[in-house]
Amino acid sequence: MPADPAALRLALAQEVDAATPTLDPGWRDAVAAVPRELFLGSAAFRPAGAGWEPVHRAEVGEEEWLRMVHSDRTWVTQVEEKDAANSTGPVSGSPTSSATLPSLVVRTAQVAELRPGRRILEVGTGTGYSTAVLCHRLGSENIVSIEYDADLAASAAAHLGNAGYTPTLAVGDGLLGCREHADYDAIIATCSVRYIPHSWFWQLNDGGSITTTICGWMLAAGLIRLALDDEGTAHGRFTDDTITYMLARPHERPPRPVFFRQDGDTRRARLDPGLLEEWAGRFVAQLAAPSAELMTTGSGIILRDVATGSQAWTEPDDGGWSVHQHGPLHLWDQVEGALLLWQDAGAPDLTQFGMTATPFEQTVWIGSPEGPNWQLPV
C-alpha cells in the first residue's frame, strides 16, 4: 500500500509528542498538519564519511522519500551554499541550510512561550518548514520571517505558498532584525549566535522576549529565552537541552588553515581534557576562550585561537596529561581555570546557567549573576 503523507505526519507528530511529554498539544497538531514533504524539494544531503552525499527523490522513489521526510531528523539541504538538488556526487564542507528536525522546531517554539495574537520575528526562514509550523499554530498574519540567502528565501516562499501559508517574508541579515516590520513581541532564531545582536533588543516591544541558542566555536550551545525588563535588560536561564542550530553565517568560524602543532610551554594539566566531551564542560570552555576552536584526536584535544593563532594541545603523560601551549594566549590556562570554577560549583548542567544581557554587555553566569561569570564577545 503506498505511503500516506497524512498518516506519516500523524505518526511523526506522535513520535515528537512522546519524546517531549510537556509539549503543548497545539504544537503537536502543527507537526501533524504541516506537509513537510513540500519543504524538502527534490533532494537532501545525508552524512557520508567526512562529507555529504545527495539523496534524490527521483532515485529513491516516492514512498521511501516520504518516509525519510517524515522522520524526526534534520535534513541538510545546502552545503557551502551548494544545493542538494544540484549535486550529483558527495561534497565536503559545512551545512549552510537545512530542514530542522520537527521536535527541535516545536521545542524551541515552546521554550519561547509563543501565543496567538503576538507579533513574532523568526530569524532564519530556511526551507520554510519552521515558518509553516509557526503560521499554523499562531496565524500567518502574526509571523515575519527573514532569510539571509536570497535563493533560499525564494524557494521558501514558494514552499509556503504551496502549503497555503502567507507570512510576511523578507530577505536580509537577520542579525539586524527586520526593521521595516518591527516592533515584535518575540524574536525566535532558527540559527545559533555567539551573542545577542544589538538590533534584536531595539526591535522588541516592552516586555518582549528573545529565544535562541547561544553557541561558540567549540559548538556547544545553550537554548535560552530572555525576557526584557523595564530597564531594557534581558534575563533568562538556559534549558537542559543539548541541541544546537547552525551558526548564523556572520557568526561562523573563518576558514580553517592546516594545523601544525607547536611545542611552546609545557606543563602538567590539572584536569582531564576529557571534560570537554561533556556538553556543559565544553560550553564553559568556549565561554573562557570565545575565539578558540576545539579539535579532538586519538590522544587528546587541540585548542586553536582563530584571532591570534595561539594553540594548546594535550597528550597522555604518566597516568595524567601534559599540555603544550604556544602563542600570546595560554588557551589551556583559560579553559582549565573556567572548568575548575564550574567543578567548584558542583559541575552543574546548563539549567544552572543563566544570562544577563544588554545591547552592549552580555554575561553568562552559574547560579546567579554574582556567581562565576563570563562575558560574551559582543
Side-chain angles (χ1 to χ4, degrees):
M1 184 175 180
D4 177 7
L8 291 172
R9 288 197 297 274
L10 180 59
L12 173 59
Q14 292 170 340
E15 179 185 352
V16 169
D17 191 44
T20 314
T22 59
L23 186 65
D24 185 310
W27 294 117
R28 178 199 61 209
D29 293 344
V31 173
V34 174
R36 197 179 188 214
E37 68 274 14
L38 296 183
F39 295 87
L40 268 291
S42 62
F45 286 109
R46 62 185 172 196
W52 303 87
E53 67 175 3
V55 181
H56 292 272
R57 185 173 189 163
E59 294 176 359
V60 300
E62 191 66 11
E63 182 163 346
E64 177 61 21
W65 177 261
L66 289 173
R67 294 189 186 281
M68 286 170 50
V69 166
H70 292 97
S71 58
D72 188 29
R73 63 174 290 180
T74 292
W75 285 104
V76 171
T77 55
Q78 189 186 76
V79 173
E80 301 292 350
E81 303 185 22
K82 184 172 184 178
D83 292 336
N86 300 327
S87 301
T88 57
V91 300
S92 60
S94 299
T96 47
S97 186
S98 68
T100 302
L101 68 162
S103 59
L104 176 51
V105 170
V106 295
R107 171 61 178 158
T108 305
Q110 177 140 315
V111 168
E113 301 179 15
L114 304 180
R115 299 289 183 269
R118 304 187 72 202
R119 188 164 180 79
I120 312 299
L121 172 64
E122 178 194 38
V123 177
T125 314
T127 66
Y129 175 73
S130 59
T131 316
V133 170
L134 295 176
C135 288
H136 185 87
R137 178 75 174 88
L138 306 172
S140 294
E141 70 278 6
N142 296 315
I143 306 301
V144 178
S145 186
I146 186 167
E147 170 57 46
Y148 186 87
D149 185 308
D151 290 338
L152 286 177
S155 178
H159 295 159
L160 286 159
N162 291 337
Y165 299 107
T166 57
T168 299
L169 300 176
V171 179
D173 184 354
L175 299 187
L176 301 178
C178 189
R179 188 171 58 184
E180 60 266 36
H181 300 294
D183 289 339
Y184 307 101
D185 297 305
I187 295 174
I188 182 170
T190 58
C191 57
S192 292
V193 292
R194 298 180 71 207
Y195 58 86
I196 306 298
H198 303 171
S199 297
W200 292 5
F201 289 89
W202 297 327
Q203 293 176 23
L204 277 181
N205 287 322
D206 292 344
S209 67
I210 296 168
T211 302
T212 188
T213 42
I214 299 294
C215 185
W217 286 344
M218 298 187 197
L219 305 183
L223 176 63
I224 192 168
R225 177 184 184 271
L226 295 158
L228 204 62
D229 68 16
D230 294 339
E231 303 298 322
T233 299
H235 310 263
R237 283 186 175 269
F238 290 90
T239 71
D240 62 352
D241 300 273
T242 54
I243 59 175
T244 189
Y245 288 95
M246 295 177 193
L247 275 162
R249 294 190 194 185
H251 283 200
E252 256 291 5
R253 298 163 292 176
R256 176 186 294 174
V258 176
F259 177 77
F260 296 100
R261 294 185 182 186
Q262 304 287 337
D263 286 337
D265 300 324
T266 303
R267 69 168 175 85
R268 187 86 167 176
R270 297 170 63 190
L271 294 175
D272 185 340
L275 286 172
L276 273 65
E277 296 178 8
E278 298 182 28
W279 193 265
R282 188 150 39 103
F283 188 74
V284 168
Q286 71 187 11
L287 292 172
S291 59
E293 295 180 287
L294 171 67
M295 295 169 275
T296 58
T297 70
S299 59
I301 60 101
I302 296 169
L303 299 170
R304 177 169 55 185
D305 187 72
V306 172
T308 66
S310 301
Q311 61 175 253
W313 53 276
T314 63
E315 61 179 350
D317 179 18
D318 194 24
W321 295 88
S322 288
V323 59
H324 304 262
Q325 301 187 93
H326 172 83
L329 299 180
H330 281 191
L331 293 175
W332 182 253
D333 290 356
Q334 295 174 211
V335 166
E336 189 176 65
L339 289 171
L340 286 168
L341 289 173
W342 172 61
Q343 287 190 325
D344 288 345
D349 65 18
L350 290 190
T351 61
Q352 299 304 307
F353 288 69
M355 184 171 168
T356 305
T358 70
F360 313 106
E361 185 174 312
Q362 299 176 21
T363 305
V364 174
W365 38 262
I366 298 177
S368 73
E370 293 71 40
N373 60 85
W374 298 269
Q375 298 291 316
L376 294 182
V378 177

